[in-house]
């Protein structure tokens, strides 16, 4: 029998301790980010599913801080790219650089060659640069000059974006939105949470110095690998599979939508429901797991009809209506 591996954070990577480590991870992030537990949980689910996350919220709600805190608590290599209108694809993927000493071209890796890539304000750069991430997100490799170069494992893109109605934003194309496993909305904090934020700052909290905030590595790649293996063994009954399919097919028939959820979206919903079931301590999926992850997994994979949008209908309201009408398996 193979002995469990140990990572730099001192974790053994045993399945029995992986869940506890990820629970500690959520508590560790809370030292820096107040009142965003659903977003933290979503990021953990994405890590378990090898998926990518889109974080949407108005400026100043700690989207970037949330991802930085996650990287610090996970002891993963991380890089940040500030997306701007003049950013070029090679600024992300890397490029061939001519070396005058050897008279040859050599590949200079871009910031995408990391474990956790923070793509800050991804919708402030034109579609050409946005699309440079498509191959990296889907194939986990970058092709430059015809040569594919694999990315490190684990690899996660955590992209932040401002609401599309803000000035200087470019809507992400549907093909790229579909590459994100989850779209998490970061709301404005409640009154008490905002008081807690200000109190922390008054006491000396510096969001640029997470070590001083007490955030320490509590999980590592070995824990993630053990957790992913455990999630893969989580049982999914035929009834649950049919339930997921029925929800996704209902979005394709909704009169409020011009675009419903694709089979890729159905696969994503099944994967996130399995991860959530395991995180909550079960080795089998129940309908409530599917319902819990339906909104963040599906909201960015549907497209509203213009007339429905004018009437105030949202993607979330359509999905909630579908969840209330699709029969739940017993």
């Amino acid at each position: 029998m193979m002995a469990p591996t140990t990572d730099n954070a001192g974790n053994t990577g045993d399945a029995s301790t992986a869940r506890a480590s990820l629970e500690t991870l959520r508590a560790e992030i809370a030292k820096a980010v107040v009142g965003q537990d659903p977003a933290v949980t979503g990021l953990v689910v994405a890590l378990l599913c090898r998926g990518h996350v889109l974080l949407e919220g108005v400026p100043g709600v700690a989207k970037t801080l949330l991802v930085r805190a996650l990287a610090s608590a996970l002891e993963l290599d991380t890089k940040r790219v500030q997306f701007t209108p003049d950013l070029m694809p090679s600024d992300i993927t890397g490029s061939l650089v001519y070396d005058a000493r050897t008279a040859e071209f050599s590949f200079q890796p871009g910031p995408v060659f990391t474990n956790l890539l923070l793509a800050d304000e991804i919708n402030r750069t034109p579609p050409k640069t946005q699309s440079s991430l498509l191959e990296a997100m889907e194939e986990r490799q970058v092709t430059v000059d015809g040569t594919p170069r694999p990315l490190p494992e684990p690899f996660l893109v955590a992209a932040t974006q401002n609401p599309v109605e803000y000035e200087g934003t470019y809507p992400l194309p549907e093909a790229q939105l579909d590459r994100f496993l989850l779209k998490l909305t970061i709301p404005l904090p409640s009154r008490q949470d905002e008081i807690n934020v200000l109190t922390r700052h008054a006491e000396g909290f510096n969001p640029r110095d997470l070590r001083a905030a007490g955030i320490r590595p509590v999980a590592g790649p070995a824990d993630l690998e053990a957790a992913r293996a455990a999630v893969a063994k989580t049982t999914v009954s035929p009834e649950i599979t049919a339930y997921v399919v029925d929800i996704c097919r209902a979005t394709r028939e909704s009169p409020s939508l011009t675009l419903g959820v694709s089979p890729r979206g159905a696969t994503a919903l099944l994967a996130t429901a399995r991860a959530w079931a395991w995180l909550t301590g079960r080795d089998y999926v129940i309908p409530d797991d599917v319902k819990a992850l339906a909104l963040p997994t599906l909201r960015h994979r549907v497209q509203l009809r213009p007339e429905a949008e004018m009437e105030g209908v949202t993607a979330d309201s359509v999905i909630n209506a579908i969840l209330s009408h699709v029969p739940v398996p017993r």
Side-chain angles (χ1 to χ4, degrees):
M1 178 176 164
M2 185 179 293
T5 58
T6 303
D7 57 33
N8 292 332
N11 300 296
T12 61
D14 185 87
S16 61
T17 60
R19 186 187 289 111
S21 296
L22 293 176
E23 284 294 331
T24 306
L25 171 71
R26 294 160 68 182
E28 207 64 19
I29 295 172
K31 292 179 180 178
V33 182
V34 176
Q36 299 293 358
D37 291 339
V40 173
T41 300
L43 286 166
V44 173
V45 167
L47 283 166
L48 293 177
C49 298
R50 290 184 170 87
H52 309 289
V53 178
L54 182 63
L55 301 166
E56 182 178 273
V58 299
V61 290
K63 300 186 298 292
T64 303
L65 178 61
L66 177 61
V67 179
R68 289 179 51 238
L70 173 71
S72 296
L74 269 177
E75 200 177 40
L76 293 178
D77 181 43
T78 181
K79 291 186 174 68
R80 175 180 176 273
V81 178
Q82 179 66 51
F83 280 66
T84 57
D86 60 348
L87 193 72
M88 299 296 291
S90 59
D91 294 331
I92 301 169
T93 61
S95 59
L96 295 176
V97 178
Y98 182 73
D99 188 340
R101 293 173 299 178
T102 61
E104 293 180 350
F105 285 93
S106 60
F107 178 67
Q108 183 65 38
V112 75
F113 286 85
T114 187
N115 296 125
L116 178 58
L117 176 68
L118 171 55
D120 217 353
E121 296 187 304
I122 190 173
N123 61 336
R124 287 201 178 277
T125 196
K128 179 180 179 181
T129 304
Q130 292 174 6
S131 65
S132 64
L133 280 174
L134 282 174
E135 182 188 15
M137 294 171 69
E138 184 65 21
E139 306 296 334
R140 300 179 185 273
Q141 66 177 25
V142 168
T143 301
V144 176
D145 196 33
T147 303
R149 294 174 169 85
L151 295 172
E153 178 62 35
F155 173 68
L156 171 84
V157 174
T160 71
Q161 72 168 11
N162 297 325
V164 293
E165 62 269 17
Y166 273 56
E167 281 191 36
T169 59
Y170 300 82
L172 295 178
E174 289 80 3
Q176 183 157 14
L177 282 172
D178 204 35
R179 294 319 196 271
F180 285 101
L181 180 73
L182 299 172
K183 178 183 177 182
L184 305 174
T185 55
I186 310 297
L188 289 166
S190 66
R191 180 177 182 274
Q192 186 56 53
D193 284 341
E194 195 162 1
I195 289 173
N196 292 339
V197 170
L198 267 63
T199 300
R200 287 188 180 189
H201 280 264
E203 293 172 349
F205 171 71
N206 181 1
R208 296 172 184 83
D209 187 359
L210 295 180
R211 286 188 179 276
I215 295 183
R216 57 189 177 84
V218 294
D223 287 309
L224 284 179
E225 198 58 40
R228 288 168 174 176
V231 169
K233 296 175 182 176
T234 302
T235 303
V236 181
S237 69
E239 292 79 12
I240 292 294
T241 302
Y243 182 51
V244 170
V245 169
D246 289 344
I247 291 171
C248 295
R249 291 181 67 86
T251 64
R252 302 168 202 164
E253 300 165 1
S254 171
S256 299
L257 301 176
T258 59
L259 178 68
V261 177
S262 68
R264 191 210 305 269
T267 302
L269 180 54
L270 185 63
T272 55
R274 291 179 85 181
W276 177 242
W278 181 81
L279 273 176
T280 52
R282 278 178 282 102
D283 60 357
Y284 58 92
V285 180
I286 61 175
D288 283 349
D289 299 325
V290 178
K291 289 182 177 182
L293 272 299
L295 284 180
T297 308
L298 304 182
R299 59 164 56 111
H300 56 296
R301 303 175 193 271
V302 300
Q303 195 171 74
L304 290 167
R305 292 187 182 278
E307 55 269 29
E309 203 165 0
M310 291 177 63
E311 293 172 0
V313 176
T314 64
D316 284 13
S317 65
V318 173
I319 295 170
N320 277 326
I322 288 171
L323 291 174
S324 66
H325 286 94
V326 172
V328 179
R330 299 296 179 185

